Amino acid sequence: MTNPYLAEWTTEFNLPPFADLKDEDVKPAVEAALSEGRAAIKAIADNPEAPTFANTIEALEKADATLSKVLGAFYGMAGADTNDTRDALMREFSPMLSAYSSEITANAALFQRIETLWQERESLDLTDEQQRVLMLTRRSFVRSGAKLEGADKNRMAEIKSRLATLGTQFSQNLLADEREWFMELSEDDLEGLPQFVVDAARSAGEEKGAKGPVVTLSRSLITPFLQFSPRRDLREKAFRAWAARGENGNANDNREIAREILELREERARLLGYENFAAYKLETEMAKTPEHVRDLLMRVWAPAKEAAERDAAILSKMMAEDGVNGDLAPWDWRYYSEKRRKAEHDLDEAELKPYLQLDRMIEAAFTCANRLFGLEFEPLDVTTYHPDARAWNVTRNGKHMAVFIGDYFARGSKRSGAWCTAMRSQQKLEGDIRPIVLNVCNFAKPSKGEAALLSYDDARTLFHEFGHALHQMLSDVTYDSISGTSVARDFVELPSQLYEHWLEVPEVLEEFATHAETGAPMPRDMLERLLAAQTYDQGFATVEYVSSALVDLEFHDGPAPKDPMKAQAEILAKIGMPKAITMRHATPHFAHIFSGDGYSSGYYSYMWSEVMDADAFEAFEETSPFDPVMAKRLEDNILSKGGSEDAEALYTAFRGRMRGVEALLKGRGLVAVE
């Protein structure tokens, strides 16, 4: 019987046949795909013909087609709906895949063919896109150790294999801690909570098999609990569990893993001739150097800290008026900030949330994409990997552009956070291959028959991830390696953060923010208060983010710390971290930088991109939010280009120049708008 992972997929749009994909089929499929890939690489390296772009670079692009097909489906499912078998498979695959990658970049004959093409590039009559792919391919080989020899080459392979294993373990430990902890609530403990929080707690209790409502470590539940529960003792218990993920001294403890990862990264960078890992990692980003990153973060840190300290004084006074003795603590901030927001902006999330229905917000994101880029979304009646996941056929002028899958509800089998991934990327080398794009979120699941309601932050998350999806769906390049979001890490967040701005457009909220029960649009005065409060509590939000980014940078810009937790404390003390605010991601649960290399030395990327997104949306505001000319410029110069050109060149082509940090500070309300 043919392995369903390896068989030709005859499903609509060649979607993975999820109903047929069994966990026991994954390992043999991966092994077969690796064998096929190795044979293809050997054929390229041993080709007696002189190297050409077609028989070397394009052949490399095609070599892993089966492996990409298998892993695209498997990892797409495993991140959103894991189990013990899938966890074990991911642990087993990490060193296997790392070894395969190391074999390729360590293949001297293969690298020599690439180097020959690089040296002869001026005479090869390559297109601009081909020149870019050649440069990126060679750079990737060099940065992976292709020029290393002997013991250094072998050590590099060992380091990459160990890092892959550790990253997978870090992620799985974090998910295990999040999955295993919950706090049972009595009926009395529900007092003071809005109905939507009560409903979410009851739904979570059902999912956990508890006797009643519970608070879990899902952000969509624990955050509103911290906002609304008047029980300071319960807030403290919940917050401490949230903050202690990955450092509970159990089998899921991540502290030693983080230490080893940092040491191995430093060794890897030094083998390649770099002073430290940050210098190595940032060389290929827009920021280029740790100094440029630190300059950005510190320019934002000072006004953010000042704003947070002003806010802390106000919240401390409110707490004292409630008769609470002691200092404002991290488990107090959200509760008193929510009370202050209601008092100063007359915004009550319990009244706001019924106007932010999940289905209407999805419709809003789709409609904005239609008005900007002409995309249309038709529901697909197909089997997905989980009953909660929904699929749409994305078209433009009748042409199929992508399949979009949205998986929005939190569950124990899903890792925390929100993300976008492509089970298949756009490319044209092997035909007009259109992408299969997946958005995964962790919103609270409603009781049966009830509408799913979002917070405003949830709605922003939905738009953010859909911005990433548009980057994949509108990609129009020839080569898979530069498709969609395959861009510099500090550029990849531009499309996602930019798309968040369309949620703030009044006419969008006027049309789609309708009450779950009455269908009435959000009252105009509520809408105006909501938009007026967009910079509320930005001192807190900016401090918790920038502190995380600075810790990430300092961990990698110098010798690896022997004790990361001690180093974290020293870094926070040096910058004067406010006592009532914690890092958004403390070291033991900082998955962005320890579950893989993606955001290591790069958590600053969100802020780097925010400098651009604040400026980019101003381009629309200068005309209109749905200006077709500006939308086409955005698509032509950024969304369709993938990594086919340098990120700064792409942005400059769209906007005409790069901007400084001022637009970001104004957007966050951290400086006065002139």
Coordinates of all heavy atoms in Angstrom, one line a residue, residues 216-291:
T216 N -6.7 28.3 32.8 CA -5.5 27.6 32.2 C -4.4 28.7 31.8 O -4.6 29.9 32.0 CB -5.9 26.9 30.9 OG1 -6.2 27.8 29.9 CG2 -7.1 26.0 31.1
L217 N -3.3 28.2 31.3 CA -2.3 29.1 30.9 C -2.4 29.6 29.4 O -1.4 30.1 28.9 CB -0.9 28.5 31.1 CG -0.6 28.2 32.6 CD1 0.8 27.6 32.8 CD2 -0.7 29.4 33.5
S218 N -3.6 29.4 28.8 CA -3.8 29.9 27.5 C -4.0 31.4 27.7 O -4.8 31.9 28.5 CB -5.1 29.3 26.9 OG -5.5 30.0 25.8
R219 N -3.3 32.2 26.9 CA -3.3 33.7 27.0 C -4.7 34.2 26.9 O -5.1 35.2 27.5 CB -2.4 34.3 26.0 CG -2.2 35.8 26.1 CD -1.2 36.3 25.1 NE 0.1 35.9 25.2 CZ 1.0 36.5 26.0 NH1 0.7 37.6 26.7 NH2 2.2 36.0 26.1
S220 N -5.5 33.6 26.0 CA -6.9 34.1 25.8 C -7.8 33.9 27.0 O -8.8 34.5 27.1 CB -7.5 33.4 24.6 OG -7.7 32.0 24.9
L221 N -7.3 33.1 28.0 CA -8.1 33.0 29.3 C -7.4 33.6 30.5 O -8.0 34.3 31.2 CB -8.3 31.5 29.6 CG -9.1 31.1 30.8 CD1 -10.4 31.9 31.0 CD2 -9.4 29.6 30.9
I222 N -6.1 33.4 30.6 CA -5.4 33.9 31.8 C -5.4 35.5 31.7 O -5.5 36.1 32.8 CB -4.0 33.3 31.9 CG1 -3.5 33.6 33.4 CG2 -3.1 33.8 30.9 CD1 -2.3 32.9 33.7
T223 N -5.2 36.1 30.6 CA -5.1 37.5 30.5 C -6.4 38.2 31.0 O -6.4 39.1 31.8 CB -4.8 38.0 29.1 OG1 -3.4 37.5 28.8 CG2 -4.8 39.5 29.0
P224 N -7.6 37.8 30.4 CA -8.8 38.4 31.0 C -9.1 38.1 32.4 O -9.7 38.9 33.2 CB -10.0 37.9 30.1 CG -9.4 36.7 29.4 CD -7.9 36.9 29.3
F225 N -8.7 36.9 32.9 CA -8.8 36.6 34.3 C -8.0 37.6 35.2 O -8.5 38.1 36.2 CB -8.3 35.2 34.6 CG -8.5 34.8 36.1 CD1 -9.7 34.4 36.5 CD2 -7.4 34.8 36.9 CE1 -9.9 34.0 37.9 CE2 -7.6 34.5 38.3 CZ -8.8 34.1 38.7
L226 N -6.8 37.9 34.7 CA -5.9 38.9 35.4 C -6.5 40.3 35.3 O -6.3 41.1 36.2 CB -4.5 38.8 34.9 CG -3.7 37.6 35.2 CD1 -2.4 37.6 34.4 CD2 -3.4 37.4 36.6
Q227 N -7.2 40.5 34.3 CA -7.8 41.9 34.1 C -9.0 42.1 35.0 O -9.3 43.2 35.5 CB -8.3 42.0 32.6 CG -7.2 42.3 31.6 CD -7.8 42.4 30.2 OE1 -8.3 41.5 29.7 NE2 -7.8 43.6 29.7
F228 N -9.8 41.0 35.2 CA -11.1 41.2 35.8 C -11.3 40.6 37.2 O -12.3 41.0 37.9 CB -12.2 40.7 34.9 CG -12.3 41.5 33.6 CD1 -11.8 41.0 32.4 CD2 -12.9 42.7 33.6 CE1 -12.0 41.7 31.3 CE2 -13.0 43.5 32.5 CZ -12.5 43.0 31.3
S229 N -10.5 39.6 37.6 CA -10.8 39.0 38.9 C -10.4 39.9 40.0 O -9.3 40.4 40.2 CB -9.9 37.7 39.0 OG -10.1 37.1 40.3
P230 N -11.4 40.1 40.9 CA -11.1 41.0 42.1 C -10.3 40.2 43.2 O -9.9 40.9 44.2 CB -12.5 41.4 42.6 CG -13.4 40.3 42.2 CD -12.8 39.7 40.9
R231 N -10.1 38.9 43.0 CA -9.4 38.1 44.0 C -7.9 38.2 43.8 O -7.4 37.5 42.9 CB -9.9 36.7 43.9 CG -11.3 36.4 44.4 CD -11.4 36.4 45.9 NE -10.5 35.3 46.4 CZ -10.9 34.0 46.4 NH1 -12.1 33.6 46.0 NH2 -10.0 33.1 46.9
R232 N -7.3 39.0 44.6 CA -5.8 39.2 44.4 C -5.1 37.9 44.6 O -4.1 37.7 44.0 CB -5.3 40.3 45.4 CG -3.9 40.8 45.0 CD -3.5 41.9 46.0 NE -2.2 42.5 45.5 CZ -1.2 42.8 46.2 NH1 -1.2 42.5 47.5 NH2 -0.1 43.4 45.7
D233 N -5.5 37.1 45.6 CA -4.8 35.8 45.8 C -4.9 34.9 44.6 O -3.9 34.2 44.3 CB -5.4 35.1 47.1 CG -6.9 34.8 46.9 OD1 -7.6 35.6 46.2 OD2 -7.4 33.9 47.5
L234 N -6.0 34.9 43.9 CA -6.1 34.0 42.8 C -5.3 34.6 41.6 O -4.7 33.9 40.8 CB -7.6 33.8 42.4 CG -8.5 33.1 43.4 CD1 -9.9 33.0 42.8 CD2 -7.9 31.7 43.7
R235 N -5.4 35.9 41.5 CA -4.6 36.6 40.4 C -3.1 36.2 40.6 O -2.4 35.9 39.6 CB -4.7 38.1 40.4 CG -6.1 38.6 40.0 CD -6.1 40.0 39.6 NE -5.4 40.9 40.4 CZ -5.9 41.6 41.4 NH1 -7.2 41.5 41.7 NH2 -5.2 42.5 42.1
E236 N -2.6 36.3 41.8 CA -1.2 36.0 42.1 C -0.9 34.6 41.8 O 0.2 34.3 41.1 CB -0.9 36.3 43.6 CG 0.6 36.0 43.9 CD 1.0 36.3 45.4 OE1 0.1 36.8 46.1 OE2 2.1 36.1 45.7
K237 N -1.7 33.6 42.2 CA -1.5 32.2 41.9 C -1.4 32.0 40.4 O -0.5 31.3 39.9 CB -2.6 31.4 42.5 CG -2.4 29.9 42.4 CD -3.5 29.1 43.1 CE -3.3 27.6 42.9 NZ -4.3 26.8 43.5
A238 N -2.4 32.6 39.7 CA -2.4 32.4 38.2 C -1.2 33.0 37.5 O -0.6 32.4 36.7 CB -3.7 32.9 37.6
F239 N -0.9 34.2 38.0 CA 0.3 34.9 37.3 C 1.6 34.2 37.6 O 2.4 34.1 36.7 CB 0.4 36.4 37.8 CG 1.5 37.1 37.1 CD1 1.2 37.8 35.9 CD2 2.8 37.2 37.6 CE1 2.2 38.5 35.3 CE2 3.8 37.8 37.0 CZ 3.5 38.5 35.8
R240 N 1.8 33.7 38.8 CA 3.0 33.0 39.1 C 3.2 31.8 38.3 O 4.3 31.5 37.8 CB 3.1 32.7 40.6 CG 3.3 33.9 41.5 CD 3.6 33.6 42.9 NE 3.8 34.7 43.8 CZ 5.0 35.4 43.9 NH1 6.0 35.0 43.2 NH2 5.1 36.4 44.7
A241 N 2.1 31.1 38.1 CA 2.1 29.9 37.2 C 2.5 30.3 35.8 O 3.3 29.6 35.1 CB 0.8 29.1 37.3
W242 N 1.9 31.4 35.3 CA 2.1 31.9 33.9 C 3.6 32.3 33.8 O 4.3 31.9 32.8 CB 1.2 33.0 33.7 CG 1.4 33.8 32.4 CD1 1.9 35.1 32.3 CD2 1.1 33.3 31.1 NE1 1.9 35.4 30.9 CE2 1.4 34.4 30.2 CE3 0.6 32.1 30.6 CZ2 1.3 34.3 28.8 CZ3 0.5 32.0 29.2 CH2 0.8 33.1 28.3
A243 N 4.1 33.0 34.8 CA 5.5 33.4 34.8 C 6.5 32.3 34.9 O 7.7 32.5 34.5 CB 5.7 34.5 35.8
A244 N 6.1 31.2 35.6 CA 7.1 30.1 35.9 C 7.1 29.0 34.8 O 7.8 28.0 35.1 CB 6.7 29.5 37.2
R245 N 6.4 29.2 33.7 CA 6.5 28.2 32.7 C 8.0 27.9 32.3 O 8.7 28.8 32.0 CB 5.7 28.6 31.5 CG 4.2 28.7 31.6 CD 3.6 29.4 30.5 NE 4.0 30.8 30.4 CZ 4.1 31.5 29.3 NH1 3.8 31.0 28.1 NH2 4.4 32.8 29.3
G246 N 8.3 26.7 32.3 CA 9.7 26.3 31.9 C 10.7 26.4 33.0 O 11.9 26.1 32.8
E247 N 10.3 26.8 34.2 CA 11.3 26.8 35.3 C 10.7 26.3 36.6 O 10.8 26.9 37.7 CB 11.8 28.3 35.5 CG 10.8 29.3 35.7 CD 11.5 30.7 36.0 OE1 12.5 30.7 36.8 OE2 11.0 31.7 35.5
N248 N 10.0 25.2 36.6 CA 9.3 24.6 37.7 C 10.1 23.5 38.4 O 9.7 22.8 39.3 CB 8.0 24.1 37.4 CG 7.0 25.3 37.1 OD1 6.8 26.1 38.0 ND2 6.4 25.3 35.9
G249 N 11.4 23.3 37.9 CA 12.2 22.2 38.5 C 11.7 20.8 38.2 O 12.2 19.9 38.9
N250 N 10.8 20.7 37.2 CA 10.3 19.4 36.9 C 11.0 18.9 35.6 O 12.0 19.5 35.1 CB 8.8 19.4 36.7 CG 8.3 20.5 35.7 OD1 9.1 21.0 34.9 ND2 7.0 20.8 35.7
A251 N 10.4 17.9 35.0 CA 11.0 17.3 33.8 C 10.9 18.3 32.6 O 11.6 18.1 31.6 CB 10.3 16.0 33.4
N252 N 10.1 19.3 32.7 CA 9.9 20.3 31.7 C 10.8 21.6 31.8 O 10.6 22.6 31.1 CB 8.4 20.7 31.6 CG 7.5 19.5 31.4 OD1 7.8 18.6 30.7 ND2 6.3 19.6 32.0
D253 N 11.7 21.6 32.8 CA 12.5 22.8 33.1 C 13.4 23.1 31.9 O 14.1 22.2 31.4 CB 13.3 22.6 34.4 CG 13.7 23.9 35.0 OD1 14.5 24.6 34.3 OD2 13.2 24.2 36.1
N254 N 13.4 24.3 31.5 CA 14.1 24.8 30.3 C 15.4 25.5 30.6 O 16.1 26.0 29.7 CB 13.2 25.6 29.4 CG 12.3 24.8 28.5 OD1 12.7 23.7 28.1 ND2 11.2 25.3 28.1
R255 N 15.7 25.8 31.9 CA 16.8 26.6 32.1 C 18.2 26.1 31.7 O 19.0 26.8 31.1 CB 16.9 26.9 33.7 CG 15.8 27.9 34.1 CD 15.7 28.1 35.6 NE 15.1 26.9 36.2 CZ 14.8 26.8 37.5 NH1 15.0 27.8 38.3 NH2 14.2 25.7 38.0
E256 N 18.4 24.8 31.9 CA 19.7 24.2 31.4 C 19.7 24.2 29.9 O 20.8 24.3 29.3 CB 19.8 22.8 32.0 CG 21.1 22.1 31.5 CD 22.4 22.8 31.8 OE1 22.4 23.6 32.8 OE2 23.4 22.5 31.1
I257 N 18.6 23.9 29.3 CA 18.5 23.9 27.8 C 18.9 25.3 27.3 O 19.7 25.4 26.3 CB 17.1 23.5 27.3 CG1 16.9 22.0 27.7 CG2 16.9 23.7 25.8 CD1 15.5 21.5 27.3
A258 N 18.4 26.3 27.9 CA 18.7 27.7 27.4 C 20.2 28.0 27.5 O 20.8 28.5 26.6 CB 17.9 28.7 28.2
R259 N 20.8 27.6 28.6 CA 22.2 27.8 28.8 C 23.0 27.1 27.8 O 23.9 27.7 27.1 CB 22.6 27.2 30.2 CG 24.1 27.5 30.5 CD 24.6 26.6 31.6 NE 24.6 25.2 31.2 CZ 25.4 24.6 30.3 NH1 26.4 25.3 29.8 NH2 25.3 23.4 30.0
E260 N 22.7 25.8 27.5 CA 23.4 25.1 26.5 C 23.3 25.6 25.1 O 24.2 25.7 24.3 CB 23.0 23.6 26.5 CG 23.9 22.7 25.6 CD 23.6 21.3 25.6 OE1 22.7 20.8 26.5 OE2 24.2 20.5 24.8
I261 N 22.0 26.1 24.8 CA 21.8 26.7 23.5 C 22.6 27.9 23.3 O 23.3 28.1 22.2 CB 20.3 27.0 23.3 CG1 19.4 25.8 23.1 CG2 20.1 28.0 22.1 CD1 17.9 26.0 23.1
L262 N 22.7 28.8 24.3 CA 23.5 30.0 24.1 C 25.0 29.7 24.0 O 25.7 30.3 23.2 CB 23.3 30.9 25.4 CG 21.9 31.5 25.5 CD1 21.7 32.2 26.8 CD2 21.6 32.4 24.4
E263 N 25.5 28.7 24.7 CA 26.9 28.3 24.5 C 27.2 27.8 23.1 O 28.2 28.1 22.5 CB 27.3 27.3 25.6 CG 27.4 27.9 27.0 CD 28.0 26.9 28.0 OE1 28.2 25.7 27.6 OE2 28.3 27.3 29.1
L264 N 26.3 26.9 22.6 CA 26.5 26.3 21.3 C 26.4 27.4 20.2 O 27.1 27.3 19.2 CB 25.5 25.2 21.1 CG 25.7 23.9 21.9 CD1 24.5 23.0 21.7 CD2 27.0 23.3 21.5
R265 N 25.5 28.3 20.4 CA 25.4 29.4 19.4 C 26.7 30.2 19.3 O 27.2 30.6 18.3 CB 24.2 30.3 19.7 CG 22.9 29.7 19.3 CD 21.7 30.6 19.7 NE 20.4 30.0 19.3 CZ 19.3 30.4 19.8 NH1 19.2 31.4 20.7 NH2 18.1 29.8 19.4
E266 N 27.2 30.5 20.5 CA 28.5 31.3 20.5 C 29.6 30.5 19.8 O 30.4 31.1 19.0 CB 28.9 31.6 22.0 CG 30.2 32.4 22.0 CD 30.7 32.6 23.4 OE1 30.2 32.0 24.3 OE2 31.7 33.3 23.6
E267 N 29.7 29.2 20.1 CA 30.7 28.4 19.5 C 30.5 28.3 18.0 O 31.5 28.4 17.2 CB 30.7 27.0 20.1 CG 31.8 26.1 19.6 CD 31.8 24.7 20.2 OE1 30.9 24.4 21.0 OE2 32.6 23.9 19.7
R268 N 29.3 28.2 17.6 CA 29.0 28.2 16.1 C 29.5 29.5 15.5 O 30.1 29.4 14.4 CB 27.5 28.0 15.9 CG 27.0 28.0 14.5 CD 25.5 27.9 14.5 NE 25.0 27.9 13.1 CZ 23.7 27.9 12.9 NH1 22.8 27.8 13.8 NH2 23.2 27.9 11.6
A269 N 29.2 30.6 16.1 CA 29.6 31.9 15.5 C 31.1 32.0 15.4 O 31.7 32.5 14.4 CB 29.0 33.0 16.3
R270 N 31.8 31.6 16.5 CA 33.2 31.7 16.5 C 33.9 30.8 15.5 O 34.9 31.1 14.9 CB 33.8 31.4 17.9 CG 33.4 32.5 18.9 CD 34.1 32.4 20.2 NE 33.7 33.4 21.2 CZ 34.2 34.7 21.2 NH1 35.1 35.0 20.3 NH2 33.8 35.5 22.1
L271 N 33.3 29.6 15.3 CA 33.9 28.7 14.2 C 33.8 29.4 12.9 O 34.7 29.1 12.0 CB 33.1 27.4 14.2 CG 33.4 26.3 15.2 CD1 32.4 25.2 15.1 CD2 34.8 25.8 15.0
L272 N 32.8 30.2 12.7 CA 32.7 30.9 11.4 C 33.4 32.2 11.3 O 33.3 33.0 10.3 CB 31.2 31.1 11.1 CG 30.4 29.8 10.9 CD1 28.9 30.1 10.9 CD2 30.8 29.2 9.6
G273 N 34.1 32.6 12.4 CA 34.9 33.8 12.4 C 34.2 35.0 12.9 O 34.8 36.1 12.7
Y274 N 33.1 34.9 13.6 CA 32.4 36.1 14.1 C 32.7 36.2 15.6 O 33.0 35.3 16.3 CB 30.9 35.9 13.9 CG 30.5 35.9 12.5 CD1 30.4 34.8 11.7 CD2 30.1 37.1 11.9 CE1 30.0 34.8 10.4 CE2 29.7 37.1 10.5 CZ 29.7 35.9 9.8 OH 29.3 36.0 8.5
E275 N 32.7 37.5 16.1 CA 33.0 37.8 17.5 C 32.0 37.1 18.4 O 32.3 36.6 19.5 CB 33.0 39.3 17.7 CG 33.4 39.7 19.1 CD 33.5 41.2 19.2 OE1 33.3 41.9 18.3 OE2 33.8 41.6 20.4
N276 N 30.7 37.1 18.0 CA 29.7 36.5 18.8 C 28.5 36.2 17.9 O 28.5 36.5 16.7 CB 29.3 37.4 20.0 CG 28.9 38.8 19.5 OD1 28.0 39.0 18.7 ND2 29.5 39.8 20.0
F277 N 27.5 35.6 18.5 CA 26.4 35.1 17.7 C 25.5 36.3 17.2 O 25.0 36.2 16.1 CB 25.5 34.2 18.6 CG 24.3 33.5 17.8 CD1 24.6 32.5 17.0 CD2 23.0 34.1 17.8 CE1 23.5 31.9 16.2 CE2 22.0 33.5 17.1 CZ 22.3 32.4 16.3
A278 N 25.4 37.3 18.0 CA 24.6 38.5 17.5 C 25.2 39.1 16.2 O 24.5 39.4 15.3 CB 24.5 39.5 18.6
A279 N 26.5 39.2 16.2 CA 27.2 39.7 15.0 C 27.0 38.8 13.8 O 26.7 39.3 12.7 CB 28.7 39.8 15.3
Y280 N 27.0 37.5 14.0 CA 26.8 36.5 13.0 C 25.3 36.6 12.5 O 25.1 36.7 11.3 CB 27.0 35.1 13.5 CG 26.4 34.0 12.7 CD1 26.8 33.6 11.5 CD2 25.2 33.3 13.2 CE1 26.2 32.6 10.8 CE2 24.6 32.3 12.5 CZ 25.1 32.0 11.3 OH 24.5 31.0 10.6
K281 N 24.4 36.6 13.4 CA 23.0 36.6 13.0 C 22.5 37.9 12.3 O 21.7 37.8 11.4 CB 22.1 36.3 14.3 CG 20.7 36.0 14.0 CD 20.5 34.7 13.3 CE 19.0 34.5 12.9 NZ 18.2 34.4 14.1
L282 N 23.0 39.0 12.8 CA 22.4 40.3 12.3 C 23.1 40.7 11.0 O 22.6 41.6 10.4 CB 22.6 41.4 13.4 CG 21.8 41.2 14.7 CD1 22.2 42.1 15.8 CD2 20.3 41.3 14.4
E283 N 24.1 40.1 10.6 CA 24.8 40.5 9.4 C 23.9 40.5 8.2 O 24.0 41.3 7.3 CB 26.0 39.5 9.1 CG 26.8 39.8 7.9 CD 27.8 38.7 7.6 OE1 27.5 37.5 7.7 OE2 29.0 39.1 7.4
T284 N 22.9 39.5 8.2 CA 22.0 39.4 7.0 C 20.7 40.1 7.2 O 19.8 40.0 6.3 CB 21.8 37.9 6.7 OG1 21.1 37.3 7.9 CG2 23.1 37.2 6.4
E285 N 20.5 40.8 8.3 CA 19.2 41.5 8.6 C 19.4 43.0 8.2 O 20.4 43.5 7.9 CB 18.9 41.4 10.1 CG 18.9 40.0 10.6 CD 17.9 39.0 9.9 OE1 16.9 39.5 9.4 OE2 18.2 37.8 9.8
M286 N 18.2 43.7 8.2 CA 18.3 45.1 7.9 C 19.1 45.9 8.9 O 19.8 46.8 8.5 CB 16.8 45.6 7.9 CG 16.0 45.1 6.7 SD 14.3 45.9 6.7 CE 14.7 47.5 6.0
A287 N 19.1 45.4 10.2 CA 19.8 46.2 11.2 C 21.3 46.1 11.1 O 22.0 47.0 11.5 CB 19.3 45.6 12.6
K288 N 21.8 44.9 10.6 CA 23.2 44.7 10.3 C 24.1 44.4 11.5 O 24.9 43.5 11.5 CB 23.8 45.8 9.5 CG 23.1 46.1 8.1 CD 23.1 44.9 7.2 CE 22.4 45.2 5.9 NZ 22.2 43.9 5.1
T289 N 23.9 45.3 12.6 CA 24.8 45.2 13.7 C 24.1 45.2 15.0 O 23.0 45.8 15.1 CB 25.9 46.3 13.7 OG1 25.2 47.5 14.0 CG2 26.6 46.4 12.4
P290 N 24.6 44.6 16.1 CA 24.0 44.8 17.4 C 23.9 46.2 17.9 O 22.9 46.6 18.6 CB 25.0 44.0 18.3 CG 25.7 43.0 17.4 CD 25.8 43.7 16.1
E291 N 24.8 47.0 17.5 CA 24.8 48.4 17.9 C 23.6 49.1 17.4 O 22.9 49.9 18.1 CB 26.1 49.2 17.4 CG 27.4 48.7 18.1 CD 27.8 47.3 17.7 OE1 27.5 46.9 16.6 OE2 28.5 46.6 18.6

